[in-house]
Amino acid sequence: MTGEATVTVQPVTEQAVVLRLSGVLDADGAVVLGRELDLRLRRADERGLRLVLDMSGVRHVSSTAVHTLDVHTRHRAAGPVLVTGATPQVRRVLTTTPLPGIRLYPSLEGALATVSSVPTSRTPQPEPYQAGETPGEVFGLRAKARTSGIIGMAQGILIARYSLPAPADAFTLLRAASQQYNVPLRVVASAVVTAPPPLSEKRWFPGRRRTPPPALGLPRADPVDLRDRQQVLRAALYAVVTLGDADAAEIHLTDRVQDEALALEAHHGLDAAYRDCLALVAGPPAVCARAQAEGRPVTVADVAADPEMAGHPVGRAALAVGSRALHSVPMTTDGGDCNGVITLHRVEPGAWLHPGQGADLEGLAHDLAAWLSWYRRTVVQDALEYLHAQGSGGG
């Protein structure tokens, strides 16, 4: 803007673009601010992006500039512009006048972390695929869409935190941490979004206490590396099918970045259409969501006769895969946190588990809950430490 003030634009995620302001926003600067807001908001709307105003470099805001900001944003209360990084003095000016079209955040990282597609309170119903598209192609696109938003949020946070020049550099950091510790890329991205900011320039979690992994009573001859997430879940799935005399099974884990929704992580005997429907479960009537909400095992003896499930997409998906009876067991820690849910399938209707089987499955679910808590505070935090060292230039 005039004299000292400047404006730069940077796309930082697949969902947001940042307009960086610096210097002094005086009366002359308000004119330029108005033009920039008009242009950037229009382009952001065309591309389906949220606009973030980074004001960390602004030293002074005039009343004219505040009025200009209000005029261009007051109609956006349902989807406000995110304003971040304002100094205490600038923040006082912005909060003196009601500005319904903006939301203030103390840091760019915090603002970017809110730019996400949050699941609704019910299980999403997949849209039918279009003519010319194969189901496999559509399922793949949906799976990518479910993870791209989380990865995009993590990229935006890393760009702001380490002053990276582009989203590709942030993705390189995520991928390096993922490969170094064999942690899925989506899990690393989710941890970046949900973990508190690094506590020092050198260490993300300085002084953290390391503990050995908890014992897992997996009835399998082959040794399992407890730092390998895929190995543990695969072995657990084998144990579930064996212990529960099941025809199919699935394991969902809670996703912290998506309001503890259940993400499908391991499966046996389930086709692609079922996995697509139950890939992310945000609430009942899915049996796994019932078990999570109630904190206890839940059995549906006959899906076809269950009034909540028979006409719902999750019930139809179970029937389509040949499952008539379902049994879900929550993975609950000693502290009462639900880290996931195990679900067993049977082709014949009826409650089939005897008390001994039920107790064994609950014991395995408890062991898996303890293991996942350990994995998150050990292996995942190791990956974050590595990422932080690389991003800070100390790697």
Side-chain angles (χ1 to χ4, degrees):
M1 299 176 191
T2 61
E4 301 175 89
T6 59
V7 178
T8 58
V9 180
Q10 182 178 15
V12 295
T13 76
E14 294 180 353
Q15 297 169 302
V17 62
V18 172
L19 185 65
R20 299 181 186 274
L21 310 176
S22 61
V24 175
L25 298 183
D26 54 15
D28 292 333
V31 177
V32 181
L33 174 63
R35 287 202 301 264
E36 289 289 340
L37 285 172
D38 182 63
L39 173 64
R40 303 306 172 184
L41 285 170
R42 185 170 65 253
R43 289 184 177 177
D45 290 342
E46 290 171 353
R47 298 170 59 192
L49 302 177
R50 293 290 294 277
L51 183 67
V52 180
L53 296 183
D54 180 4
M55 302 186 72
S56 56
V58 175
R59 302 192 300 275
H60 173 75
V61 176
S62 68
S63 59
T64 304
V66 173
H67 176 72
T68 300
L69 182 62
D70 181 36
V71 168
H72 286 81
T73 63
R74 66 177 58 162
H75 62 288
R76 312 181 72 89
V81 172
L82 311 182
V83 175
T84 178
T87 64
Q89 180 182 10
V90 171
R91 187 180 183 89
R92 282 196 297 272
V93 174
L94 294 178
T95 54
T96 299
T97 304
L99 298 172
I102 73 167
R103 293 292 183 276
L104 291 172
Y105 292 84
S107 68
L108 180 58
E109 296 169 6
L112 293 175
T114 68
V115 183
S116 62
S117 178
V118 180
T120 63
S121 59
R122 59 184 178 87
T123 302
Q125 302 183 21
E127 297 292 334
Y129 52 87
Q130 303 297 318
E133 294 178 323
T134 67
E137 290 172 337
V138 174
F139 298 155
L141 288 172
R142 288 174 182 161
K144 182 178 180 180
R146 280 187 288 266
T147 60
S148 62
I150 298 172
I151 293 174
M153 281 192 290
Q155 286 176 283
I157 290 171
L158 296 179
I159 287 172
R161 181 172 293 161
Y162 302 119
S163 300
L164 302 176
D169 299 277
F171 185 82
T172 298
L173 274 182
L174 291 170
R175 184 174 57 189
S178 169
Q179 294 175 346
Q180 182 73 16
Y181 287 93
N182 196 25
V183 178
L185 183 66
R186 177 179 57 81
V187 175
V188 176
S190 179
V192 168
V193 174
T194 57
L199 296 178
S200 75
E201 292 185 3
K202 295 183 178 180
R203 300 296 301 273
W204 194 313
F205 307 98
R208 68 185 172 108
R209 182 183 176 188
R210 293 177 179 274
T211 59
L216 279 177
L218 298 174
R220 186 171 179 172
D222 297 336
V224 176
D225 180 0
L226 295 181
R227 293 183 65 89
D228 189 316
R229 192 171 184 268
Q230 186 176 15
Q231 278 192 36
V232 171
L233 293 179
R234 188 187 302 119
L237 195 67
Y238 174 85
V240 165
V241 173
T242 303
L243 290 172
D245 192 22
D247 297 305
E250 60 194 282
I251 297 176
H252 285 81
L253 301 182
T254 54
D255 192 332
R256 293 176 174 175
V257 80
Q258 302 190 81
D259 292 335
E260 303 297 322
L262 294 169
L264 181 61
E265 299 287 350
H267 55 85
H268 169 77
L270 302 170
D271 65 17
Y274 179 90
R275 300 196 306 267
D276 178 64
C277 184
L278 276 292
L280 188 68
V281 179
V287 185
C288 57
R290 294 190 203 177
Q292 179 192 34
E294 297 177 19
R296 63 175 181 84
V298 174
T299 300
V300 173
D302 189 351
V303 176
D306 186 278
E308 291 186 344
M309 292 192 66
H312 192 275
V314 298
R316 293 197 296 266
L319 294 172
V321 83
S323 299
R324 287 292 297 275
L326 301 171
H327 180 78
S328 288
V329 185
M331 296 161 47
T332 307
T333 67
D334 289 335
D337 296 323
C338 181
N339 283 344
V341 179
I342 299 169
T343 301
L344 288 73
H345 296 236
R346 288 270 287 191
V347 298
E348 296 294 331
W352 75 97
L353 294 170
H354 59 68
Q357 286 177 304
D360 288 344
L361 287 168
E362 288 185 52
L364 177 58
H366 176 270
D367 288 349
L368 281 174
W371 167 81
L372 188 60
S373 292
W374 171 85
Y375 179 85
R376 286 172 172 171
R377 68 174 181 267
T378 304
V379 182
V380 175
Q381 288 189 5
D382 285 345
L384 292 182
E385 292 274 20
Y386 178 85
L387 184 153
H388 184 49
Q390 299 296 314
S392 301

